[in-house]
Amino acid sequence: MIVRELPWLAGVDAGSASITTGRVAVGGWLVSPTGPDGSTVRLGDRIARVHWERGTKAVPGVPADWPSWVWRAEIDIEQPVGLEATVTAPDGTVLSRVAVWPESTFRTPASLGEIDFPAADAELAGDLVVVSGWLLLDGRLPSRIEVEVDGATPQRARLMLPRPDVTQNLPGQIRQAGLSGYEARVPLPLAPGERRKVSLRVRAWTRDGREWTSPVRYATLRRRAVDQRDAEAAARASAFTEELLGRVKAAVDTDHVLVVTHSLRVGGGQFWLSELLRHLAGSHGHKVTLVSPEDGPLRAELEELGVTVHVTGHHRVQDATQYAAYVGELAMLATASGAGVALVNTLGMFAGVEAAKRAGLPVAWVIHESFSLEDFAYLNWGMDGLDPLVRERWESCLADADTLLFVADATREMFLPWSRPRRCVTVRYGIDLVPVQQAQYATKEEVRRELGLPEAATVLLNIGVSEPRKGQAPLLLAFEQIRATHPDAHLVIVGTHESPYCDALRDYVEAAGLAGSVSLVPICRDPRQWLRAADLFVNSSDIESLPRSILEAMAFGVPVVAADVFGTREIVSDGESGWLFLPNDLSALTVGLLRALDTPPEDRARIAGRARAGVGAFLDSAHYGQEFSTILKSLARGNATEERDA
């Protein structure tokens, strides 16, 4: 049994403050392993009179079984003025510091910001409402923002997006202004040609729980209608290539796999595919032909494995006729290749699914992404950028694919409405364990010296291409908060590159004086040394299916703190094999870090051991190589997934 050493945590309820002529009174809460004795509350520069009571309600973001106390502090004053309420632990550590104000102003935080998009009464194209802007509450970043659009579930906004324009234009120096941006994307499915007026508003919360709500704003959505002339032209293009397909002949090899993927550049989906093809083309004896619209460094690796690589260039999904022509050409290539089965990688490569089906090949389609179709279309092709006829074919491909393969059950559940349950299969992927074993020969101290990390520090590691959805900016701010109680902590973020987001990360590290405690490391193909050096791994992404980096951390025996999203919760059990926190919530992230850091090292090691044992059945990538080989051979020989599972 793991015995937890509870942290000291505190909060100030600014909404309960009473500031009048003659007296200031404010309340709050405390989590303490030994009770409130020795703790102090200062109001301004004076130690307050404090009344303590044992808490009877759960503290938001804190496990319900942790002992808590509520307090009420008072001082006498002559004039009602705003001041800071500071809660201090017996050893002098500041646990919480919040500004409180006279009753005329304390209940709603002072807001500074704009909803940049959509403008009031805007006409929007598509079936996705994108709401973006910037916001500061009492001069600080909100802990959480939600966007409400009528007819849809409230959507948590992605926080702390770079806004250098705000920094340049705000009077005075507000350090957090450069990360004050936010964005939420709310799907509202519409039929082609449908028009709908909606209302929207933004709600935000400060770290002490006070709420601010924007005025209601209206916008009208309109999805593009089908152009009959485009439909006829696309039909003619399909008929022409269908006629040509009848002239293409090739002997079919059931062990030959045609792979259609989105890119050969560096990325998670590409690494997954490279590892899979190493097994398929190696120990399982498959011949592989790969088609990609985008070249990249992985091409050389694949060709060394004996994979035939063909780069086509990008196809257009904005024009139904050009899309139909591309599918026809790809179908002819599929037929001429002699492959017996097609493996399509990523949600956006549906053209490969349609082409393979037209060529008469059975198709296994791997969907890594946990996005709605509306959201994915916006991110890849812009607002209403997908031709409605092409969108219809995309949806048909989900129904027509012989097998849909997912890396997490949560993603599978998301796509079940588009297919049949027995066609939807979860195959969790693994990693190559040989490099992990090789990395263990060096001690943690040796690796830290080589990397230039402080040997005695508690190293928190984040790995992933730095971008808003990966949440490195909120992680920086949460890390800044926990340094008050953990001054020996050191944060390493691996995955920076040249981008406005990474520029904002660098600027904040410098402005906050964190340069000695934070290392920003460029994208690294082989992160083994960093994992060997780490004490905790933090995954702060707000959307993930099954993060490879978490599996790598578990393989190295590094305990994991992660956002509770999709497949992550399937491999991390909160408090047992790691720590989970709510995504897009700065306070929850901060508490998650504190829970992990306040757990003794020997207990963290036991938690990491449980995590590795929990994923042991599939951690080695050989398992998914075998499972994919079985699925592909079964499809090539005419056994559909439904029949195989029956």
Side-chain angles (χ1 to χ4, degrees), residues 51-182:
H51 174 70
W52 299 92
E53 289 184 4
R54 186 63 186 263
T56 58
K57 297 181 180 179
V59 177
V62 173
D65 61 338
W66 286 14
S68 64
W69 283 260
V70 294
W71 52 265
R72 189 76 178 168
E74 296 182 356
I75 61 170
D76 298 324
I77 59 171
E78 293 183 1
Q79 296 293 329
V81 294
L83 43 75
E84 282 192 331
T86 305
V87 186
T88 306
D91 64 357
T93 300
V94 174
L95 302 176
S96 182
R97 179 181 286 125
V98 173
V100 294
W101 304 89
E103 289 193 38
S104 60
T105 59
F106 76 79
R107 295 194 180 278
T108 301
S111 66
L112 191 61
E114 296 284 347
I115 299 176
D116 295 327
F117 189 87
D121 301 314
E123 295 275 341
L124 306 178
D127 51 1
L128 186 81
V129 181
V130 179
V131 180
S132 62
W134 64 277
L135 182 63
L136 294 164
L137 298 178
D138 291 340
R140 304 181 70 182
L141 294 173
S143 176
R144 175 164 56 98
I145 296 176
E146 287 185 358
V147 171
E148 296 179 350
V149 178
D150 59 8
T153 304
Q155 186 82 29
R156 286 200 177 195
R158 182 167 290 155
L159 303 175
M160 298 164 207
L161 306 184
R163 291 299 300 258
D165 57 319
V166 176
T167 303
Q168 294 166 5
N169 292 299
L170 271 184
Q173 296 294 318
I174 300 179
R175 174 157 50 87
Q176 298 183 344
L179 289 170
S180 60
Y182 66 87

Side-chain angles (χ1 to χ4, degrees), residues 51 95 111 114 231 277 316 343 411 508 571 606 609:
H51 174 70
L95 302 176
S111 66
E114 296 284 347
L277 295 185
R316 285 180 55 82
L343 175 66
T411 310
Y508 193 84
I571 57 173
R606 283 193 282 270

Side-chain angles (χ1 to χ4, degrees), residues 272-285:
W272 171 90
L273 182 63
S274 177
E275 181 70 12
L276 174 63
L277 295 185
R278 184 173 67 84
H279 291 287
L280 293 183
S283 56
H284 297 289

Side-chain angles (χ1 to χ4, degrees), residues 284-510:
H284 297 289
H286 288 276
K287 179 181 178 181
V288 179
T289 298
L290 182 142
V291 178
S292 170
E294 188 173 64
D295 208 346
L298 292 182
R299 177 176 187 160
E301 292 184 20
L302 295 174
E303 289 178 336
E304 285 183 10
L305 295 173
V307 174
T308 300
V309 177
H310 177 69
V311 178
T312 64
H314 286 282
H315 60 287
R316 285 180 55 82
V317 297
Q318 298 85 351
D319 183 289
T321 305
Q322 293 186 37
Y323 169 81
Y326 175 82
V327 168
E329 293 163 7
L330 192 55
M332 285 187 278
L333 186 153
T335 302
S337 72
V341 63
L343 175 66
V344 178
N345 185 40
T346 74
L347 180 59
M349 285 310 299
F350 56 92
V353 177
E354 185 174 357
K357 296 302 291 184
R358 288 187 61 188
L361 297 183
V363 178
W365 188 4
V366 185
I367 298 176
H368 306 265
E369 300 88 349
S370 297
F371 293 96
S372 68
L373 297 189
E374 297 86 358
D375 200 6
F376 188 89
Y378 166 74
L379 291 171
N380 286 272
W381 305 299
M383 193 75 76
D384 208 22
L386 196 62
D387 186 288
L389 290 168
V390 178
R391 169 68 176 270
E392 183 180 314
R393 292 195 179 195
W394 189 17
E395 295 174 3
S396 296
C397 286
L398 288 166
D400 293 342
D402 299 273
T403 304
L404 297 180
L405 295 163
F406 305 93
V407 298
D409 288 334
T411 310
R412 176 182 180 273
E413 293 292 323
M414 185 178 183
F415 282 89
L416 277 178
W418 300 103
S419 185
R420 302 177 190 175
R422 287 189 175 180
R423 289 188 179 185
C424 299
V425 179
T426 300
V427 181
R428 291 183 176 86
Y429 62 85
I431 60 174
D432 185 359
L433 293 180
V434 173
V436 176
Q437 295 162 355
Q438 293 172 342
Q440 305 297 329
Y441 293 124
T443 67
K444 182 176 290 189
E445 292 73 22
E446 290 171 340
V447 173
R448 287 189 177 185
R449 283 195 294 271
E450 186 175 343
L451 295 174
L453 294 174
E455 292 184 31
T458 301
V459 175
L460 287 71
L461 176 65
N462 174 278
I463 298 175
V465 177
S466 296
E467 57 179 327
R469 78 177 181 91
K470 297 290 187 179
Q472 287 93 350
L475 176 57
L476 265 182
L477 270 78
F479 178 77
E480 183 183 14
Q481 293 292 319
I482 61 95
R483 287 188 70 244
T485 53
H486 295 275
D488 64 334
H490 189 97
L491 175 63
V492 178
I493 294 175
V494 177
T496 60
H497 52 102
E498 292 304 316
S499 70
Y501 188 70
C502 292
D503 289 343
L505 297 180
R506 297 184 191 101
D507 290 345
Y508 193 84
V509 167
E510 181 179 354

